[in-house]
Amino acid sequence: MNLIFEIGKEGRGLSLLPKCDVPVTDLPENLKRQSELHLPQVSENEISRHYTKLAQRTHGVNKGFYPLGSCTMKYNPKVNEEMAALKGFRQVHPLQDESTVQGSLEVIKMTEDILSEILGMDAFTLQPAAGAHGEFTGLLLIKSYHTDRGDTKRTKIIVPDSAHGTNPASAAMCGYEVVSIPSAEDGCVDLDALRDAVGEDTAGLMLTNPNTVGLFDKNILEITKIVHEAGGLCYYDGANLNAVMGQARPGDMGFDCVHVNLHKTFSTPHGGGGPGSGPVGCKAFLQDFLPGARIKGNIEDGYYYEDSPKSMGSVKMFHGNFLVVVRALTYMLTLGKEGIPEASANAVLNANYMRVKLAKKYEMAYDTTCMHEFVMDLSELKHRTGVSALDVAKGLLDYGVHPPTMYFPLIVHEALMVEPCETEPREVMDEACDTLLELYDLAEKDPEWLHAAPHNAVIGRPDEVGAARKPVVKYTWE
Amino acid sequence: MGSYVPNTLKEREEMLKEAGYTSFEDMFSCIPDEVKLKRPLNLPSGLSELEVARKMEELADMNVVFKSIFRGAGSYDHFIPAIVNSVISKEEFLTAYTPYQAEISQGILQSIFEFQTMICELTGMDVANASHYDGATAAAETIPMCVDRKHKTAYVSATTHPWVIQVMKTYCFGSNTKLVVLPSKDGLTDAQALKSALETDPEAACFYLQQPNFFGNFEDAEAIGEIVHAAGAKFVMGVNPLALSIIKSPRECGADIAVGDGQPLGMPISYGGPYVGFMATTTAMMRKLPGRIVGETTDDQGRRAFVLTLQAREQHIRREKASSNICSNQDLCCLTASVYMAAMGKEGMAEAARQSMSKAHYLREGLKKAGFYPVFHTEFFNEFVTTCPVDDKELLDALEAEGILGGLPIADGSILWCATEKNTKEDMDKLIAIASSITGKGGLSYESNI
């Protein structure tokens, strides 16, 4: 299909601005742009059709099932969008005086308080804009704490080998050396390996629970104890919070700080990759180090910002992705104390429901009760038929289902990680299971068909090697 | 209470049984008893849609929405064409995620490719990534691109937005990088101070310059770029993307990396977010770019196709050796910026930029007559600093009573004003009249004595 630069004509455009009603100020010659500026020259009709075509070439949660493991692609309620569009939220300047933004401050304060209760923390900042940004902020909290105590020999962060790639990358951004520890046979933390790894140089541990293979680590209290006894802190990566919210709290598991993904657990739209929001929470002893100003006061006497002298500074301009926070708060208030555990219980139920159905043919990486997601291991299938996890994933595309996460975590070789979420009707999951089971049979009967999949998408498999070898990263005018 | 779980209680019972559990408690026996939450969350009960809408509207109503806004400082109230919201509300864009499966994500991938192209056009650079969280984080992430074993110190001009400097400092606290803030002189970067600082530091990695700077002033970016390059450091420019439709592009000023906040390109001020950071660089530095990059290729039948590319830089492959931990992108905001630029076109963007600049000049003249004298005497874009001869609170309160958000009080009792194409002459005359009624210097022509 055409790029937007390949439609329209010289001279086309929209009528958007009135004539300037004050004398026009000219830019001095030496400041003026010299080079030509190529931008689309299109009518509104052409823009509308172009993006409608692009939308049709995009799979979203609203189009169909999206069981992308570790991404929590749940339904994004419409009321959240309507609330974020309110003029009182959209049309407010970030540097307005506190007295004129009491509504925004109340939104932030309520969200911080609700998150604190769900996570078992004492304080939150909403400044981080994404999960990885939250990890970075959480590790800076740990670094601030050790630095403040003059404990500068703690230079290492322990990360299990099953962790998401952002964990070690975030640790490296904070100047830490990453110590990767192997997972035990059952996919959980190997306690002996952890005991061997901790020491006087341990700054902290980064962990998700349930972990990246979808299992709740039953030794969690022992794990956090080992790290604490060595003088390190425990960081909870909230990627998998949708499994446990209202059932168990990281704060009660011994974690000192956490991040959560509002765009996963709290139903704000992923937007093709963002904007998200990755609030960071902590226990009281860390709260002075949080980034940004803290909100003080109350609804009766008014809220105000207060700087903390020990704050790490700021990880982002202003007060975070505020409109994302508005959506998440709307969701949290909608669900309330009953709906939050109901959501996690059904997320876990749906995952186990699919797991048991698929286990009839597929090998499970860990054949036990999972939390909100589970990992299938297609190594044996690949060995026998040549059909890989990638091939099965591409086969799914022809059935209107977004494939599960492929090749993650790295400790499972031909991994497909399935996370259905609580918002899927039973028959959608039934159909997806039938399709996956059918593809399993097809792998045995007609592997070529799967190697060549997808057959009905708008494009076939793209040449990724060619794309990386000779990168074309922008359109060039002739 | 509200719920988005579609399955009925009866269905849930059946599903539990099929999965081999007698109850939810049975299923959750995989969570050790000692960490289970054995009480309800201490939160209010859930609400119906009508109730929650009422509650949120109440909160929105507690905010003051100003009819006209004369405050910028990193968040600009520009006009947003109607087509922008229409496009970004499309559910497919809204509810998709990072385009991991290219075959069913061509729409997202192509829109990012178009965004990268438009950012390259604006900045004059060769390659742009698919975005950062905002302009400040983009600025901070340029530092690791420039720092290596021989080049260890990062420099930033004091004329940069203070919040951007703070974010850079915080990131540098993480990476243990030395960051030096270089002084300003008369509202501009002190070129002499820059020169001597870089000349005496063989380890200088990069210098960051904001254009137009925090005070709205135009820096002599080309001259500064030459000083930076002469010292063997990288020249990084933070730019206002709307201004780039009329002013020299970073490439024309010799920049190695250009970053900025895309908020002026169709994003509402939204109490500070979400916005989007853009980052573009030269081909030579392409493999140091953090974040997602979309490339054009072909599919197995030779059809045009788009994919995430150059992934060997990224965290999911390189882990602790990655150029950044960035994983997501602000795609919906990229789309916002793209649709905005398509709708405005080069003429529309240049017109919005010129009008913003013209109105700021008109406002400055008026305020001068009312006794608010310009602090700096140099070329400026759509922001400028004046003195404040009265208590700033008195002025701002008087403006607020008329639905006007006045400028931002900054250091030394001065005020940073901003105008955009949305501000009418009538609004500005009203503002000036209120200001002069407070100083008693209405209508008189005073030459600045500063």
Side-chain angles (χ1 to χ4, degrees), chain A residues 387 441-451:
Chain A
V387 168
D441 292 341
L442 209 54
E444 288 166 338
K445 280 184 237 150
D446 189 2
E448 281 316 306
W449 191 87
L450 280 171
H451 290 319

Side-chain angles (χ1 to χ4, degrees), chain B residues 87-244:
Chain B
V87 169
I88 64 166
S89 306
K90 287 184 194 293
E91 294 186 329
E92 292 86 348
F93 294 136
L94 203 59
T95 68
Y97 197 27
T98 306
Y100 294 117
Q101 297 289 343
E103 297 88 343
I104 54 167
S105 310
Q106 284 299 296
I108 295 273
L109 288 162
Q110 180 171 333
S111 73
I112 294 175
F113 184 82
E114 292 175 353
F115 170 78
Q116 289 172 188
T117 303
M118 293 187 209
I119 293 301
C120 286
E121 274 300 310
L122 276 181
T123 56
M125 307 307 277
D126 304 320
V127 51
N129 67 11
S131 84
H132 289 265
Y133 310 127
D134 64 7
T137 57
E141 291 226 21
T142 63
I143 295 172
M145 292 170 70
C146 304
V147 168
D148 58 30
R149 260 182 299 168
K150 286 183 183 162
H151 304 89
K152 295 179 182 165
T153 321
Y155 290 86
V156 55
S157 171
T159 63
T160 302
H161 195 302
W163 215 313
V164 173
I165 296 178
Q166 197 185 35
V167 172
M168 283 178 153
K169 276 186 182 160
T170 308
Y171 271 63
C172 285
F173 163 63
S175 60
N176 303 320
T177 307
K178 188 175 163 198
L179 178 73
V180 179
V181 183
L182 288 176
S184 66
K185 196 177 166 195
D186 305 328
L188 293 171
T189 299
D190 185 340
Q192 268 315 315
L194 169 69
K195 202 169 172 206
S196 49
L198 294 187
E199 271 171 1
T200 52
D201 179 5
E203 294 192 335
C206 52
F207 175 70
Y208 181 92
L209 179 76
Q210 183 178 323
Q211 173 82 323
N213 69 24
F214 177 64
F215 309 112
N217 298 333
F218 284 119
E219 299 271 2
D220 189 354
E222 278 169 286
I224 286 170
E226 278 167 25
I227 295 172
V228 176
H229 283 152
K234 296 274 188 283
F235 181 37
V236 183
M237 284 182 73
V239 283
N240 176 331
L242 188 64
L244 290 185

